[in-house]
Amino acid sequence: MPNTNYTPGNGNAPYGLPQTNPQGSNYAGVASTAVTESNLIEKAIARVIYDAAPAQFVALKVLNLGSFEDRNSDEFEYLEKTFGRVPLVPTATSAIVAASGSTSVSQSITVNQASFDGVSPNDIIIYPDGTHATVTAKAALVLTVRSVAGQGLPAVALTDVFAVQSTISADGTDQFYHYDRMTTVTRYNFIHFFHRAKRWARVEMQKYINAGTTDFMEKDSMEKVRQIRIDMFCAYWNGQRGEYTLAGGYTAKGMGGIVPTMRAAGSIEVTATVASLQAMFESTVLATNFKAEGATRFVYGTDSALLELSKIYKEERVRYEPNSKIADLGLDMIKVGSGNYVLTPCELFSEPSCFEAGWKDRLIILDQETVKPVKMKGIPQVEMGKTDNVANGSHKDYEDSWVRAQFSIEFYNPLASAIINIDRS
C-alpha cells in the first residue's frame, strides 16, 4: 500500500494533534468532529492506581495496641464483680412521722426487690433531705426504719432515692445482721469469622501480568485485606450478637460489638444539640468516670462530630502522648474534671455503606482498657492463601486467593462508657 499523500495546513485533517489519539481515547468521545484513533499511540495511564479511600482505621490501631487473647472455644463467658451496693428506691409513699420527744420514731417504706435485697437490719440509710435512720426489720419488700433519737422522719415520695451509708454495731451483741456475698454479672460473646476471596482464570490472570498497564493486580490483591479490615471495624463497633442464617442452609455466630453491648447493658445514651453539647458531654463523662484520677478514655466520632468538641475546648486541647511511641497517633486530648479524653477520628462512621445514618453525628466515650480483643486458640487471627490451578496439578483452571480472619471482644463494665448523639436539626 502506498504512503498517503496529503496537503499540509488543511485544517485538522487528516493529521494534526486532534487526530493523534490512542485507541480508547476519551477525547474521541467528546470531540465536535470525527477523530482518528491509532494503535501507534500508547494510552497514558498512570502506573500506580491511587487509593482514594482515606486512612480510617485509627480506631483499629488503638484496638490493636493490645495483643489478642486466646479463648478455647468460639463462644466464651466472662464475669464482672459488681459494685456491691445499691440505692433504695421506694415503690409506695409514706406520710411524715413527727419526732416523739427524745426517743426515736418508726416508719415503714416499701421498696423494689433490688433495694430490699441490698440492705440489712442495722444498716444506716439516708433520706434525700439528709435525714438518717436505721433499718430495724424487713419483710415482704417493706423496710421498718427508726429515726435518730429525738428526730422525726420526712414523708417518702415515689421520686425519692435513699443512700445506704454503712452498717452500725452495738457493744455486747451476740448476733451478726449484715450477711452478704459478692455478686457477679456474667457476660458472653461469640467469635466472629470473616472471609474475602478473589478468583482469576489462569490465562486471564497471566494476560494481566503480561500486558497490564497499571499496578492493578497488586492493588487488587491487597484490596481484600483492606476490605476485611473494614468488616472487622464495622463488627467491632456495631456487631449484633446472635445466630445468622447463611446461604446453603448454614448458620453462623456473629459477635456483639461496642454499641449494641452498651445498649444491652444500659449504658448512658443521651442526645444533645450543638448548643447543649458541652454541658451534656461534661455531665456524661463525670457520671461514667470510674477510673483513677488523671486516667484516659477515648472519644470516637467523625471529624464533623469531633469538631464540635474541638471548638468548645480549643484552648484546653493538648497533644495526646501515650507511654509507648508505637501508640503515638497524633491525636488531641482534652481534660474534663480529673479525666483525660482523647479525640479519636472514625470517619467511616459517616460511610453509608458501613453504618446507618445516625453514626455520623455520634460520639462514643469508651474506656478502652475495658475492651479486650480475643480470638480462638489454635487458629491464626488472620490467614491468607491460594488454591491450586491446573499448572499445579488441580483440575480447576482458575485460582482463588483468600483471606480469613477471626475476631471478637470481651467488653467489661460497659457502664463506664457512654454514647452522645448530636441533634443538628
Side-chain angles (χ1 to χ4, degrees), residues 347-405:
E347 199 56 28
L348 271 178
F349 286 175
S350 64
E351 172 52 55
S353 65
C354 297
F355 293 91
E356 60 266 32
W359 283 77
K360 69 180 186 302
D361 291 318
R362 176 167 294 154
L363 296 172
I364 301 172
I365 302 155
L366 185 64
D367 181 359
Q368 196 70 55
E369 292 182 357
T370 65
V371 182
K372 293 181 180 179
V374 301
K375 71 176 189 67
M376 188 174 178
K377 184 178 180 180
I379 300 177
Q381 198 266 317
V382 177
E383 53 188 341
M384 294 183 287
K386 295 180 180 180
T387 61
D388 287 338
N389 58 27
V390 294
N392 295 314
S394 171
H395 69 285
K396 297 176 180 177
D397 199 21
Y398 59 82
E399 177 183 282
D400 284 348
S401 62
W402 51 266
V403 57
R404 299 180 66 93

Side-chain angles (χ1 to χ4, degrees), residues 248-271:
Y250 293 93
T251 57
K253 301 167 186 174
M255 66 178 281
I258 294 293
V259 167
T261 300
M262 290 173 64
R263 286 174 170 164
S267 299
I268 291 177
E269 181 170 6
V270 296
T271 299

Side-chain angles (χ1 to χ4, degrees), residues 32-52:
S32 58
T33 58
V35 297
T36 59
E37 300 177 26
S38 173
N39 60 4
L40 300 176
I41 306 297
E42 183 182 64
K43 194 170 185 177
I45 303 175
R47 177 66 191 172
V48 177
I49 298 176
Y50 176 70
D51 186 357

Side-chain angles (χ1 to χ4, degrees), residues 223-278:
E223 178 63 11
K224 63 181 179 292
V225 177
R226 192 174 75 94
Q227 288 297 330
I228 209 166
R229 290 181 70 200
I230 296 176
D231 289 344
M232 293 168 60
F233 182 95
C234 295
Y236 171 72
W237 287 107
N238 203 24
Q240 179 64 58
R241 185 187 65 202
E243 181 188 75
Y244 290 78
T245 300
L246 311 183
Y250 293 93
T251 57
K253 301 167 186 174
M255 66 178 281
I258 294 293
V259 167
T261 300
M262 290 173 64
R263 286 174 170 164
S267 299
I268 291 177
E269 181 170 6
V270 296
T271 299
T273 64
V274 173
S276 65
L277 180 58
Q278 180 175 3

Side-chain angles (χ1 to χ4, degrees), residues 296-316:
T296 299
R297 287 190 285 172
F298 290 78
V299 183
Y300 294 93
T302 62
D303 287 338
S304 174
L306 292 175
L307 178 61
E308 302 300 340
L309 280 182
S310 294
K311 289 188 291 189
I312 294 169
Y313 297 102
K314 59 184 176 181
E315 302 299 330
E316 292 91 340

Side-chain angles (χ1 to χ4, degrees), residues 1-42:
M1 181 177 180
N3 292 335
T4 301
N5 296 318
Y6 69 98
T7 303
N10 184 20
N12 290 329
Y15 302 112
L17 180 59
Q19 301 297 329
T20 309
N21 303 291
Q23 290 178 333
S25 168
N26 292 299
Y27 173 67
V30 299
S32 58
T33 58
V35 297
T36 59
E37 300 177 26
S38 173
N39 60 4
L40 300 176
I41 306 297
E42 183 182 64

